[in-house]
Amino acid sequence: MKETSPRSSAELMQLVNVAAGREPADLVLKGGRVVNVHAGEICEVDVAITGNRIAGLGSYHGKENVQLKGQYVCPGFIDAHVHIESSMLSVPEFAAVVAAHGTTAVVADPHEIANVMGTEGIRYILRSSKYSPINVYLMLSSCVPASHLESAGAELRASDLKPFLSDPWVLGLAEVMNYPGVIRCEPEVMEKLELCQATVIDGHAPGLGGPELMAYVAAGVRSDHECTTWEEAAEKLAAGMYIMMREGSVARNMEDLLRLVKPETAHRFMFATDDKHVDDLIQEGQIDYMVKRAVATGMPPTLAVQLASTNAARYFELRSVGAVAPGRLATLTVLENFETCHATRVYKEGELVAAEGKCIKKVPAGEATTGLRSTINIQWLEPDDFAIRAPSPAPRARVITIVPDQLHTAHVVEEARVEKGCVCADPSRDICKLALLERHQASGRIGLGLVRGFGLQGGALASSVAHDAHNLTIVGTNDADMLAAAVRLVKIRGGLCVVRDGKVLADLPLPIGGLMSEAPASEVAEQLGRVRQAARQIGCQLKRPFMSLSFLSLSVIGSLKVTDHGLVDGAEFKLIDLFVD
Amino acid sequence: MKETSPRSSAELMQLVNVAAGREPADLVLKGGRVVNVHAGEICEVDVAITGNRIAGLGSYHGKENVQLKGQYVCPGFIDAHVHIESSMLSVPEFAAVVAAHGTTAVVADPHEIANVMGTEGIRYILRSSKYSPINVYLMLSSCVPASHLESAGAELRASDLKPFLSDPWVLGLAEVMNYPGVIRCEPEVMEKLELCQATVIDGHAPGLGGPELMAYVAAGVRSDHECTTWEEAAEKLAAGMYIMMREGSVARNMEDLLRLVKPETAHRFMFATDDKHVDDLIQEGQIDYMVKRAVATGMPPTLAVQLASTNAARYFELRSVGAVAPGRLATLTVLENFETCHATRVYKEGELVAAEGKCIKKVPAGEATTGLRSTINIQWLEPDDFAIRAPSPAPRARVITIVPDQLHTAHVVEEARVEKGCVCADPSRDICKLALLERHQASGRIGLGLVRGFGLQGGALASSVAHDAHNLTIVGTNDADMLAAAVRLVKIRGGLCVVRDGKVLADLPLPIGGLMSEAPASEVAEQLGRVRQAARQIGCQLKRPFMSLSFLSLSVIGSLKVTDHGLVDGAEFKLIDLFVD
């Protein structure tokens, strides 16, 4: 629920009776240190809980009493901006992992699954969030498709989003990535901004400043999570934006931005992960990790907790959470200390959902993917479909060059190796072939190109996770293995795979939209480890080969990318020929 | 409007075009210093305004350009809790006075007029606030009548308040003064709290702490403006309440509370006046005065402005105001400097409403009181009605004793002077007679007593302003003058007056509910000066005699008070006999 869930006067009386000490609490957390974000201090008081709410702070005794022995009672952590799909987990599995790390709510942008399945994808996330150990709030994806140079599985117009605004779990409009469209007043994006004026509108505008930033903010965009330097964040803060500090698997901006957080401005900052993979979530954590890092750099714990919970609650107008105070929902994270930030107990609305790093609330499984169609729809392929005819015996071709651990790419021109009239991979120079297969409408469209940086000595890698349209992306040293990899992805209804000599070395099935697994989180992490290991087997030296693969088609970032229409010049934002005259 | 008033995409485009510099602004405030509450700093930038909104901060040129020469541009000030009736001005006159002092919005509790006229009083305030130079938001009076020991003109139940919740100018439930009722779970007050759960609920709980405070907060009460010590405020802050610091005509709590405001907790504090008389508003100011005082004690101007505007805007969920930022309404107060806090220009939604300490927006008058009934309804009086029969020749009687400039009273017992079998005043011992006449239903009920502290040597004072039921309160040295004073109040349809030897020395007519004048503010201030002067003429030494008079019936505060039912023991909260056995 967005707002204070209205309480009946009977519920109010129950709270008042327990608070006043006339009736025993259902549960009292005794002997803990409460992180009081309102007073900016840590207080040694009991927390009395009745039903799903906190009745009082003070000296209480309940039907159940839990001794906390000086552990820290915090309001439950909130991830202010996350794409759940990036974890590759189903929503219930994602929820179980992050609940164990002290997260009690996330504000998710279903941008990836919406690019594949449109409103059906949004409805799937809403539906599969029910009965979860955390609250999953949604922002409505504002930029589907993200680019008109690539074929996505859906297009979301303002009229498609409108019905969702009445859903109690929908909080507003997700990151408006099309900031050039806002600044240019493109009718389609203005219509969405108009529709969502009374809600929360998130931004995404890396590097934007000056009058263009003013235009973006004037249009109603209220936050940004793309700041990479404190100077950029300072300008956005002064323009009235809330700043979400991001610490994902790859983009890690918190340390640069922390110096901007002063006690008087702290209430304008939040924590977010944006994109974080299953293994990083399990091993490193989510918001708990950010609290730990912030405190380690010298931020007072009360402020760190404010950023981790209170500020997001206020920004998204979730009145009943974000503080340990009478009348609030008993949605709490108990931390061992601020050095480890280990969550020893996590309560959601009075119910213990995680303890000692494990989620204990049974998550319903199985039903989650009911109603999902198979989303890998491609034409029957022949090896010949991957062939690149050479225009001359020794043509010069553009080669996309990977920058390790970054989303952008470099653009180099090399003489192409030609065999039997076709351009082929040249492992000796670390040049692979690259294919991008449209997979939504079975159009048969394939974008072909060359890529450097994977270091493959044989075989092929393939992924149905490919930002933002999530077509099939295949990198390989030969057409036969590229075909075999594509076929494998069709068979497993999407996912990641590694093929050599026609044999599948490893795969990670992601049948939910070709993006998310149905398996338990630990199994997904293991499978991910196996496909990465298999990639290393065929020569790949990248630490995160599938991440690099998945961003080869994100044409808005980087010098040279590929879509199902062919190569895209990232600077000019237009299609460009593979070969240089 | 509570929320961001939804803007059409055409309006958004206009804002974006001006912000981006493609179209000229309607108005640019140039060369000012913008108090940036988000960044916690003061920035020298132009403010570009188009229509009713701020388009951008930066370097702009408009159709109209105003040179501010280093003056400070602040978000318009907000009084978080005020009873407009206490100014004795009609709403348009009140608005004109406070607009000239840089206030652009007030959150008013129409508690006084609601005690006289019920929902008709609330509707009057709503109606007469239209087209005002300031925004007048309303909180719904929660405690009408305030006491069952006195007869008010109306009773407001939850079902009476409910229809107002859909009014865009109504923000929630006003100060829940009946905190004992909340703690005791009285159904009538719980019903109101239940009704208003999704809105803002203001508190009023002087001295409340411990488990009872927890109970009060758990019931959904979110703020308090009754803290008189910083320790009391600290406990309420830690319990999750917002703290409104009050600086009215009499109650002046800001200085004690300022030490509690730290940069990290500052966002939980607001400024309010509660009750401030016309002369104090004109001479001293309102929120501007609090900003001046706070800065003088060392608070950084950015924080002071945050308390004066931003925090109230956030607390009341008024998204479009409270900051000088792109997309916000151009509702701004320009201060000469922070030493004087003199408002040189005040804009409401892009329109200049006050300049150089004068309101320049023409306020519609005349219509304001249409529909008001005469509210002074008393039975035809005879001099004999004021007689107090003495039970014995020299009875001992309870005497209410005024504490100058305070709402509470002391309770002393004195031998009463008796003439012709009746107790009479004794100016030599500073004992006056006191009468409290029920004036709503013409019931003929009169409460009689004795009072010390007015120092009258002859004549009588009378007032139809008498908290909270606003019956007629008359203090005098003889029955004939008391009768004459009562008759005068009937003739002027309520107000204040001073009578000696049957002659009216001065009066201040307050025909709107017996509480508010229809005259211009300067005239009301002048009339108030005249009645005070006349009170001095008949011997009164009190600085604010009519204020002391108006609180003689407020039975919830003080040791001994009077209502139309007779004397009330404030400690026991029950009726008590005038005479001691």
Side-chain angles (χ1 to χ4, degrees):
Chain A
M1 285 74 41
K2 282 179 238 204
E3 272 301 322
T4 307
S5 42
R7 286 163 281 179
S8 68
S9 72
E11 284 173 284
L12 286 175
M13 288 184 195
Q14 174 66 16
L15 269 174
V16 168
N17 284 331
V18 170
R22 285 189 296 265
E23 287 183 24
D26 291 331
L27 168 68
V28 177
L29 305 180
K30 291 183 85 80
R33 289 183 247 202
V34 169
V35 179
N36 190 317
V37 292
H38 297 136
E41 61 192 22
I42 290 174
C43 317
E44 294 185 20
V45 286
D46 301 338
V47 180
I49 295 165
T50 183
N52 59 357
R53 299 222 176 221
I54 299 167
L57 309 179
S59 187
Y60 289 97
H61 198 77
K63 296 171 197 164
E64 183 192 347
N65 296 279
V66 174
Q67 299 295 336
L68 293 184
K69 297 172 186 165
Q71 295 189 93
Y72 293 87
V73 183
C74 309
F77 298 151
I78 301 173
D79 189 331
H81 175 69
V82 63
H83 304 288
I84 295 174
E85 303 95 311
S86 294
S87 70
M88 293 186 279
L89 299 175
S90 66
V91 179
E93 283 296 319
F94 169 84
V97 170
V98 301
H101 282 279
T103 295
T104 55
V106 299
V107 182
D109 171 10
H111 176 76
E112 315 307 341
I113 201 158
N115 259 286
V116 175
M117 301 170 64
T119 54
E120 197 181 333
I122 299 176
R123 276 194 299 272
Y124 159 69
I125 299 283
L126 280 169
R127 201 170 54 235
S128 63
S129 303
K130 302 276 183 242
Y131 319 113
S132 170
I134 67 170
N135 280 339
V136 179
Y137 295 100
L138 249 59
M139 299 290 276
L140 299 173
S141 307
S142 63
C143 302
V144 176
S147 157
H148 287 283
L149 294 177
E150 188 176 7
S151 307
E155 182 174 354
L156 294 180
R157 294 174 168 271
S159 54
D160 299 312
L161 302 181
K162 194 174 179 186
F164 289 100
L165 286 175
S166 59
D167 189 293
W169 297 94
V170 170
L171 303 180
L173 190 65
E175 50 176 340
V176 181
M177 292 185 287
N178 186 11
Y179 60 89
V182 175
I183 295 160
R184 287 193 300 258
C185 288
E186 286 174 6
E188 195 205 339
V189 62
M190 298 315 275
E191 200 186 344
K192 288 173 184 162
L193 292 171
E194 180 185 10
L195 174 70
C196 297
Q197 283 292 301
T199 71
V200 180
I201 301 177
D202 278 347
H204 162 122
L208 197 67
E212 298 196 325
L213 175 63
M214 293 297 150
Y216 190 59
V217 177
V221 180
R222 301 179 70 211
S223 68
D224 185 80
H225 58 261
E226 289 289 335
C227 298
T228 50
T229 67
W230 74 267
E231 293 91 343
E232 180 184 352
E235 186 176 354
K236 287 175 175 168
L237 182 70
M241 295 188 111
Y242 287 80
I243 307 297
M244 296 176 181
M245 293 195 277
R246 176 174 56 179
E247 202 75 4
S249 276
V250 177
R252 291 176 177 263
N253 314 124
M254 186 174 71
E255 219 151 277
D256 290 309
L257 305 186
L258 276 177
R259 61 181 288 189
L260 195 62
V261 184
K262 296 176 290 180
E264 59 268 38
T265 59
H267 63 283
R268 307 290 295 181
F269 292 85
M270 291 167 259
F271 288 149
T273 57
D274 204 355
D275 296 288
K276 200 156 185 177
H277 307 148
V278 53
D279 50 336
D280 293 328
L281 285 173
I282 291 175
Q283 288 154 29
E284 192 173 83
Q286 193 190 24
I287 302 301
D288 55 338
Y289 172 73
M290 299 187 76
V291 172
K292 183 168 72 176
R293 289 282 304 280
V295 172
T297 64
M299 182 182 278
T302 50
L303 277 196
V305 170
Q306 188 188 327
L307 268 67
S309 176
T310 320
N311 295 352
R314 291 201 64 178
Y315 172 74
F316 289 108
E317 298 174 0
L318 305 169
R319 263 205 215 167
S320 302
V321 294
V324 185
R328 304 275 179 135
L329 288 169
T331 295
L332 306 169
T333 294
V334 180
L335 295 184
E336 183 177 47
N337 57 52
F338 282 99
E339 286 73 50
T340 63
C341 285
H342 173 60
T344 56
R345 301 179 83 83
V346 182
Y347 292 91
K348 186 193 167 200
E349 300 177 18
E351 179 187 2
L352 187 69
V353 294
E356 299 303 339
K358 290 216 180 323
C359 182
I360 59 171
K361 186 177 158 86
K362 196 142 176 68
V363 180
E367 299 283 336
T369 58
T370 306
L372 287 188
R373 57 181 160 91
S374 169
T375 61
I376 310 295
N377 302 309
I378 61 172
Q379 281 195 7
W380 193 260
L381 290 164
E382 305 292 340
D384 193 44
D385 290 329
F386 293 91
I388 303 172
R389 307 282 154 209
S392 60
R396 285 161 50 75
R398 301 176 205 276
V399 177
I400 300 175
T401 302
I402 298 291
V403 183
D405 275 341
Q406 297 293 329
L407 310 192
H408 64 268
T409 53
H411 172 172
V412 299
V413 175
E414 295 276 350
E415 188 170 302
R417 184 177 152 209
V418 176
E419 277 181 8
K420 295 179 192 163
C422 287
V423 171
C424 56
D426 186 352
S428 67
R429 290 190 293 155
D430 186 14
I431 295 176
C432 284
K433 283 185 70 177
L434 165 64
L436 199 293
L437 282 69
E438 189 279 323
R439 64 110 158 173
H440 304 290
Q441 312 292 341
S443 66
R445 261 196 307 280
I446 304 184
L448 295 170
L450 298 170
V451 62
R452 165 172 288 163
F454 282 91
L456 301 193
Q457 296 304 311
L461 308 175
S463 172
S464 61
V465 179
H467 299 277
D468 283 339
H470 302 295
N471 287 305
L472 299 193
T473 311
I474 306 167
V475 167
T477 58
N478 65 84
D479 295 359
D481 280 345
M482 291 173 79
L483 172 61
V487 170
R488 183 63 180 181
L489 290 195
V490 174
K491 286 189 176 169
I492 61 176
R493 295 189 290 153
L496 315 179
C497 73
V498 182
V499 168
R500 187 173 58 191
D501 301 333
K503 221 187 101 192
V504 177
L505 300 185
D507 62 16
L508 165 49
L510 300 172
I512 306 173
L515 300 171
M516 299 154 89
S517 172
E518 288 175 308
S522 57
E523 195 179 308
V524 178
E526 210 177 285
Q527 288 171 327
L528 181 61
R530 277 203 295 268
V531 289
R532 282 189 190 150
Q533 173 59 29
R536 274 194 292 279
Q537 258 178 273
I538 61 169
C540 184
Q541 299 305 318
L542 290 170
K543 193 174 150 214
R544 300 171 184 276
F546 290 96
M547 198 211 79
S548 293
L549 197 62
S550 75
F551 283 107
L552 283 174
S553 54
L554 187 68
S555 46
V556 292
I557 303 177
S559 305
L560 189 63
K561 292 286 174 97
V562 67
T563 76
D564 58 320
H565 293 283
L567 285 193
V568 174
D569 179 331
E572 299 278 323
F573 206 60
K574 63 176 189 187
L575 292 171
I576 192 174
D577 213 48
L578 173 61
F579 297 105
V580 181
D581 297 330
Chain B
M1 287 74 40
K2 281 179 241 204
E3 272 302 323
T4 307
S5 43
R7 286 163 280 180
S8 67
S9 72
E11 284 173 284
L12 285 176
M13 288 184 195
Q14 175 65 17
L15 269 173
V16 169
N17 283 330
V18 170
R22 284 189 296 264
E23 286 183 25
D26 291 333
L27 168 67
V28 176
L29 305 181
K30 291 182 85 80
R33 288 183 248 201
V34 169
V35 179
N36 190 317
V37 293
H38 297 136
E41 61 191 22
I42 290 174
C43 317
E44 294 185 21
V45 284
D46 302 338
V47 180
I49 295 165
T50 182
N52 60 357
R53 300 225 173 217
I54 299 167
L57 309 179
S59 186
Y60 288 97
H61 198 76
K63 295 170 196 163
E64 185 192 347
N65 296 279
V66 174
Q67 299 294 338
L68 293 184
K69 297 172 185 163
Q71 294 188 94
Y72 294 87
V73 184
C74 309
F77 298 153
I78 301 173
D79 190 332
H81 175 69
V82 63
H83 304 288
I84 294 174
E85 303 94 313
S86 293
S87 71
M88 295 187 278
L89 299 175
S90 65
V91 179
E93 283 297 318
F94 169 84
V97 170
V98 301
H101 281 279
T103 296
T104 55
V106 299
V107 182
D109 171 10
H111 175 76
E112 315 308 341
I113 200 156
N115 261 286
V116 176
M117 302 169 64
T119 54
E120 198 181 332
I122 299 176
R123 276 194 299 272
Y124 159 68
I125 300 283
L126 280 170
R127 202 170 54 237
S128 63
S129 303
K130 301 275 184 244
Y131 319 113
S132 170
I134 67 169
N135 280 339
V136 179
Y137 295 100
L138 250 60
M139 299 290 275
L140 298 173
S141 306
S142 63
C143 302
V144 176
S147 157
H148 288 283
L149 294 177
E150 189 176 8
S151 307
E155 182 174 354
L156 294 180
R157 295 174 167 270
S159 54
D160 299 313
L161 302 182
K162 194 174 179 186
F164 289 100
L165 285 175
S166 60
D167 189 293
W169 297 95
V170 171
L171 303 181
L173 189 65
E175 48 175 340
V176 181
M177 293 184 287
N178 186 11
Y179 60 89
V182 175
I183 295 159
R184 287 193 301 260
C185 287
E186 287 174 5
E188 197 203 339
V189 62
M190 298 316 274
E191 199 187 343
K192 287 173 184 162
L193 292 171
E194 180 185 12
L195 175 70
C196 297
Q197 282 292 301
T199 72
V200 180
I201 301 177
D202 277 348
H204 163 122
L208 197 66
E212 298 195 326
L213 176 62
M214 292 298 151
Y216 190 58
V217 178
V221 181
R222 301 180 70 213
S223 68
D224 185 80
H225 59 261
E226 289 289 334
C227 299
T228 50
T229 67
W230 74 267
E231 293 91 341
E232 180 183 353
E235 187 176 354
K236 287 175 175 167
L237 182 70
M241 296 189 110
Y242 287 80
I243 307 297
M244 295 176 181
M245 292 196 277
R246 176 175 55 180
E247 202 74 4
S249 276
V250 177
R252 290 175 179 264
N253 313 124
M254 186 174 70
E255 218 150 279
D256 289 309
L257 305 186
L258 276 178
R259 61 182 288 190
L260 194 63
V261 184
K262 295 176 290 179
E264 58 268 38
T265 60
H267 63 284
R268 307 290 296 181
F269 292 85
M270 290 167 260
F271 287 150
T273 58
D274 203 354
D275 297 287
K276 199 155 185 177
H277 307 149
V278 53
D279 50 337
D280 293 328
L281 284 173
I282 290 175
Q283 288 153 29
E284 193 173 83
Q286 193 188 24
I287 301 302
D288 54 338
Y289 172 74
M290 298 187 75
V291 172
K292 182 167 72 177
R293 290 281 304 279
V295 171
T297 64
M299 183 181 279
T302 50
L303 278 195
V305 170
Q306 188 189 325
L307 268 67
S309 177
T310 320
N311 295 351
R314 290 200 66 177
Y315 172 74
F316 290 108
E317 298 174 359
L318 306 169
R319 261 206 216 169
S320 303
V321 295
V324 185
R328 304 274 179 136
L329 288 169
T331 294
L332 305 169
T333 293
V334 180
L335 295 183
E336 184 178 45
N337 57 52
F338 282 98
E339 286 73 51
T340 63
C341 285
H342 173 60
T344 56
R345 303 179 82 83
V346 182
Y347 292 91
K348 186 193 167 202
E349 300 177 18
E351 180 186 0
L352 187 70
V353 295
E356 298 304 338
K358 290 215 179 326
C359 182
I360 58 172
K361 186 177 157 88
K362 194 141 177 69
V363 181
E367 299 284 338
T369 59
T370 305
L372 286 189
R373 57 183 162 90
S374 169
T375 61
I376 309 295
N377 302 310
I378 62 173
Q379 280 194 8
W380 195 261
L381 289 165
E382 305 292 340
D384 193 46
D385 292 328
F386 293 91
I388 304 173
R389 308 282 155 208
S392 60
R396 287 163 49 76
R398 301 177 204 276
V399 178
I400 300 175
T401 302
I402 298 292
V403 182
D405 276 342
Q406 297 294 328
L407 309 192
H408 64 268
T409 53
H411 173 173
V412 299
V413 176
E414 295 276 352
E415 187 171 304
R417 183 178 152 210
V418 177
E419 275 181 10
K420 297 180 192 161
C422 288
V423 172
C424 55
D426 186 352
S428 69
R429 291 191 292 154
D430 187 14
I431 295 176
C432 284
K433 284 186 66 176
L434 165 64
L436 200 293
L437 284 69
E438 190 278 323
R439 62 110 157 172
H440 305 290
Q441 313 291 341
S443 66
R445 261 196 308 280
I446 303 185
L448 296 169
L450 298 171
V451 63
R452 167 172 286 164
F454 282 92
L456 301 192
Q457 296 304 312
L461 307 176
S463 172
S464 60
V465 179
H467 299 279
D468 285 336
H470 302 294
N471 288 305
L472 299 192
T473 311
I474 306 167
V475 167
T477 57
N478 64 84
D479 296 359
D481 281 345
M482 289 174 79
L483 172 62
V487 171
R488 183 62 179 180
L489 289 195
V490 174
K491 285 190 177 168
I492 60 175
R493 294 188 291 152
L496 315 178
C497 73
V498 182
V499 168
R500 186 173 59 191
D501 302 332
K503 221 187 99 193
V504 177
L505 299 184
D507 63 14
L508 165 49
L510 300 172
I512 306 173
L515 299 171
M516 299 153 89
S517 172
E518 287 175 308
S522 58
E523 197 178 306
V524 179
E526 210 177 286
Q527 288 171 327
L528 181 62
R530 277 203 296 268
V531 290
R532 283 191 189 148
Q533 173 58 30
R536 275 192 292 278
Q537 259 177 268
I538 62 170
C540 183
Q541 300 305 318
L542 291 170
K543 195 174 149 214
R544 301 169 184 276
F546 290 96
M547 197 210 77
S548 294
L549 197 61
S550 74
F551 283 107
L552 283 175
S553 53
L554 186 67
S555 47
V556 291
I557 303 178
S559 305
L560 190 63
K561 291 286 174 96
V562 67
T563 75
D564 58 319
H565 293 282
L567 286 192
V568 174
D569 180 330
E572 298 278 324
F573 207 60
K574 63 176 189 189
L575 292 170
I576 192 173
D577 214 47
L578 174 60
F579 298 105
V580 181
D581 297 330

